[in-house]
């Protein structure tokens, strides 16, 4: 690549921009979600159409962007900047916003500093910075990475604003491509410059683009069309021939920032290295990338069953997991459906025990009545997907649905026990393998199972809540079986899925909350393109009992909605802030 000085000379002389290499173009195309059939046309400038969820994903991305209020020792406001969360505990902004720990320790981050659809100001949540825990900065790359406190003055956990994962690889954007910037211009309410910014040059550490930014926008996020962060906005490129005017704007490449941080690791303490462990992910594992439905040519491939001996030592779900004072037993099945539970071959009951979770299957529906998993937030580990789906040899194959249901349609093998939830402790690898049994999946439309649905947001919230607070949780999940469910390829497809989350609160008491999501509109015609909503509600535990025929014992006594006057449908969840734990 050309140097920064050479690029400035070229810009000043209006020389043509550098041409992308075939390798760079190939790398960029590899990062496009294959389900976005218009992405390539947008990339080469032949089409400007976007699906509606593009705007929804932008709103979700913007949640992690905040206004930075720079203050002096007396608490007086000196100026403003912009920043954004890049892990649940770390925020990224410019070095010229926070050149040192002294400035940062006096300042604060304000989330929700924006207007709602009625032009009313949202409730702002303010958090202090903690440079004593982590403060990494570079004047040359003009960035500062800093720790932020967990809880605002009003008691809201910062994890409710999510974070924007940073991707290590280069190639997230090409010359001529358009980017968007979310910012707090002049310290004002949050704003977005949407695709009015054309990439004009690529340097080793910087990119240049035409964009509308103002003072206060320092530290803004520069996004590509997939809402992946490609750069940290930091300044304009001045026009030497016209004072006060700019040739372009400039952002620091995320790949360069991550490379610099990686080089600082040896000088960091063990606690600081733990803080940056989640920072910078490969494109294959980043939360914003969507899992791909495998090639239809391979849909008949099923991994070999594990030997029966492998399961003998697996204790499965532990009802005492939340502590000796809180026993959370398996739910019991209503009398009229109890006989439909699949028995283990050779006797031994109807509970299939895996690593940190258990499942009870329905013979007639060939799907789980329910799953239940223990999550230990202190011991969670990251292990890659293997996608080796297997039958469980402990029950008849007639009671399990294989790949035949998922060929050439929008149905995904949706994990009921989410893959990441039981992956903790010394047997994390075994737990990862166990989640890929057909007993643990249920047909879910790809729009529900992937992307940015509130259902996935709920699952992320619960997992991140346990991880960030080193908590334990018990999660029950399953489908709702109805007689009039749509019959497709000989299988009745559930329209709804439910979840019950059980945790111990700070006061030592149990909290049991229930949730329900519908995919009815999405699966109305599985041979055609899908449209429609998949709304997620927080409902009463007793409502899940009525819908499923499961009895959760005393859990309804620990449900905050049971004590309220909520409606039958419960409370619609539009943002993670709506969730009540």
């Amino acid at each position: 690549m050309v140097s920064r000085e050479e690029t400035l000379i070229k810009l000043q002389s209006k020389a043509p921009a550098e041409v992308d290499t075939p390798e760079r173009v190939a790398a960029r195309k590899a990062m496009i979600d294959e389900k976005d059939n218009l992405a390539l046309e947008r990339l080469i400038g032949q089409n400007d159409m976007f699906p509606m969820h593009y705007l929804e994903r932008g709103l979700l991305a913007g949640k992690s962007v905040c206004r930075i209020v720079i203050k002096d020792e007396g608490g007086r406001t000196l100026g403003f900047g912009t920043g954004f969360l890049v892990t649940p505990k770390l925020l990224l902004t410019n070095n010229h916003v926070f050149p040192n720990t002294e400035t940062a320790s006096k300042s604060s981050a304000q989330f929700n500093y924006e207007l709602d659809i009625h032009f009313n100001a949202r409730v702002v949540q303010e958090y202090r910075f903690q440079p004593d825990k982590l403060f990494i900065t570079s004047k040359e790359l003009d960035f500062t990475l800093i720790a932020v406190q967990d809880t605002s003055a009003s008691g809201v956990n910062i994890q409710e604003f999510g974070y924007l994962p940073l991707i290590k690889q280069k190639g997230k954007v090409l010359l001529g491509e358009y980017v968007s910037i979310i910012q707090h211009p002049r310290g004002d309410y949050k704003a977005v410059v949407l695709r009015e910014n054309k990439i004009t040059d690529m340097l080793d550490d910087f990119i240049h683009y035409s964009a509308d930014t103002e003072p206060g926008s320092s530290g803004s996020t520069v996004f590509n069309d997939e809402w992946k962060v490609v750069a940290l906005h930091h300044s304009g490129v001045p026009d030497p021939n016209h004072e006060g005017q700019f040739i372009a704007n400039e952002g620091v490449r995320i790949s360069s920032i991550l490379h610099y941080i990686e080089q600082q690791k040896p000088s960091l303490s063990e606690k600081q290295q733990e803080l940056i462990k989640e920072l910078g992910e490969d494109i294959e594992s980043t939360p914003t990338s969507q899992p791909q439905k495998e090639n239809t040519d391979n849909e008949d491939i099923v991994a070999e069953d594990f030997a029966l001996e492998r399961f003998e030592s697996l204790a499965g779900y532990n009802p005492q997991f939340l502590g000796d004072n809180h026993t959370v037993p398996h739910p019991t099945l209503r009398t009229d459906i109890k006989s439909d539970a699949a028995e283990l071959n050779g006797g031994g009951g109807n509970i299939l025990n895996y690593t940190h979770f258990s499942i009870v299957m329905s013979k007639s529906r060939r799907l789980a009545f329910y799953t239940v998993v223990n999550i230990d937030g202190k011991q969670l580990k990251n292990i890659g997907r293997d996608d080796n789906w297997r039958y469980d040899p402990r029950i008849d194959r007639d009671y399990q649905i294989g790949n035949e249901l998922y060929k050439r349609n929008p149905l995904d093998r949706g994990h009921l026990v989410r893959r990441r939830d039981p992956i903790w402790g010394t047997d994390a690898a075994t737990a990862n393998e166990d989640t890929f049994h057909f007993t643990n999946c249920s047909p879910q439309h790809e729009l529900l199972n992937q992307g940015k649905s509130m259902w996935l947001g709920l699952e992320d919230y619960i997992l991140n809540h346990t991880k960030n607070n080193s908590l334990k949780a018990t999660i029950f999940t399953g489908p709702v079986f109805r007689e009039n469910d749509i019959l497709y390829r000989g299988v009745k497809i559930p329209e709804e899925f439910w979840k019950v989350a059980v945790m111990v609160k700070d006061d030592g008491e149990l909290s049991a909350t229930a949730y329900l999501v519908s995919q009815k509109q999405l699966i109305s015609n599985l041979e055609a393109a899908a449209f429609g909503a998949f709304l997620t509600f927080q409902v009463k535990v007793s409502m899940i009992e009525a819908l499923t025929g499961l009895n959760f014992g005393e859990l309804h006594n620990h449900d905050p909605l049971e004590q309220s006057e909520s409606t039958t449908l419960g409370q619609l969840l539009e943002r993670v802030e709506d969730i009540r734990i």
Side-chain angles (χ1 to χ4, degrees), residues 162-183:
Y163 69 93
L164 298 170
L166 304 183
I167 300 171
K168 294 177 181 178
Q169 290 97 322
K170 292 185 176 182
K172 296 181 285 292
V173 73
L174 296 175
L175 288 167
E177 192 172 348
Y178 291 89
V179 293
S180 300
I181 299 179
I182 297 179
Q183 57 189 303

Side-chain angles (χ1 to χ4, degrees), residues 229-248:
V229 185
V230 299
L232 170 70
H233 174 72
H234 83 125
S235 71
V237 180
D239 185 342
N241 301 318
H242 300 89
E243 186 175 352
Q245 296 186 21
F246 297 87
I247 302 170

Side-chain angles (χ1 to χ4, degrees), residues 213-349:
T213 60
E214 296 190 45
S217 298
S218 296
S220 303
T221 42
V222 182
F223 296 96
N224 66 12
D225 276 344
E226 287 78 56
W227 293 104
K228 293 181 174 69
V229 185
V230 299
L232 170 70
H233 174 72
H234 83 125
S235 71
V237 180
D239 185 342
N241 301 318
H242 300 89
E243 186 175 352
Q245 296 186 21
F246 297 87
I247 302 170
N249 271 319
E250 185 174 77
V252 190
R253 298 180 70 161
I254 290 300
S255 52
S256 297
I257 291 174
L258 291 176
H259 178 69
Y260 181 93
I261 294 171
E262 185 71 24
Q263 291 179 318
Q264 309 310 306
K265 274 188 177 180
S267 63
L268 301 179
S269 68
E270 186 175 334
K271 287 186 177 180
Q272 289 174 327
Q273 291 191 31
E274 185 69 21
L275 275 176
I276 67 170
K277 186 172 65 174
E278 297 180 45
L279 185 67
E281 302 178 359
D282 294 324
I283 188 67
E284 293 80 8
S285 61
T286 175
T288 57
S289 64
Q290 298 181 5
Q292 302 299 317
K293 190 176 177 74
E294 76 258 44
N295 189 297
T296 55
D297 293 337
N298 297 322
E299 284 177 338
D300 287 326
I301 298 175
V302 176
E304 184 178 353
D305 293 356
F306 286 125
L308 287 171
E309 291 75 18
R310 179 185 182 276
F311 300 96
E312 291 176 355
S313 61
L314 302 184
Y317 166 70
N318 177 10
Q320 300 294 141
F321 185 69
L322 298 182
D324 295 336
N325 298 326
H326 301 294
T327 300
V328 184
H330 280 265
T332 58
L333 276 64
R334 198 171 55 209
T335 304
D336 60 312
I337 61 174
K338 189 173 183 179
S339 61
D340 190 40
E343 297 285 333
L344 276 64
N345 296 328

Side-chain angles (χ1 to χ4, degrees), residues 439-556:
T439 51
N440 186 42
C441 73
S442 193
Q444 293 182 348
H445 195 283
E446 61 188 6
L447 294 182
L448 174 68
N449 187 50
Q450 303 178 27
K452 287 286 185 179
S453 73
M454 188 58 216
W455 187 247
L456 291 185
L458 168 66
E459 293 179 327
D460 283 336
Y461 176 85
I462 294 172
L463 186 66
N464 289 335
H465 186 69
T466 61
K467 184 175 183 179
N468 296 337
N469 298 285
S470 298
L471 298 176
K472 292 182 177 181
T474 287
I475 309 295
F476 298 88
T477 306
V480 175
F481 295 148
R482 300 181 186 275
E483 284 299 318
N484 61 349
D485 281 336
I486 294 171
L487 186 66
Y488 177 73
R489 294 183 181 177
V491 177
K492 286 187 175 182
I493 309 299
E495 294 179 353
E496 297 167 310
F497 294 90
W498 58 268
K499 194 177 295 288
V500 174
V502 188
M503 301 181 191
V504 179
K505 298 184 293 186
D506 291 340
D507 61 4
E509 295 297 318
L510 279 185
S511 166
T513 51
Y515 310 91
L516 188 69
V517 66
S518 172
Q519 63 173 1
K520 182 176 181 178
Q521 289 180 272
L522 297 177
I523 63 173
S524 59
N525 185 351
L526 288 169
E527 304 298 338
F531 300 94
F534 36 93
L535 299 179
T536 301
F537 292 86
Q538 182 165 350
V539 299
K540 296 179 180 180
V541 170
S542 57
M543 181 178 179
I544 301 301
E545 290 179 318
L547 289 172
T548 62
L550 301 175
N551 187 327
F552 289 95
E554 299 298 317
L555 285 188
H556 65 274

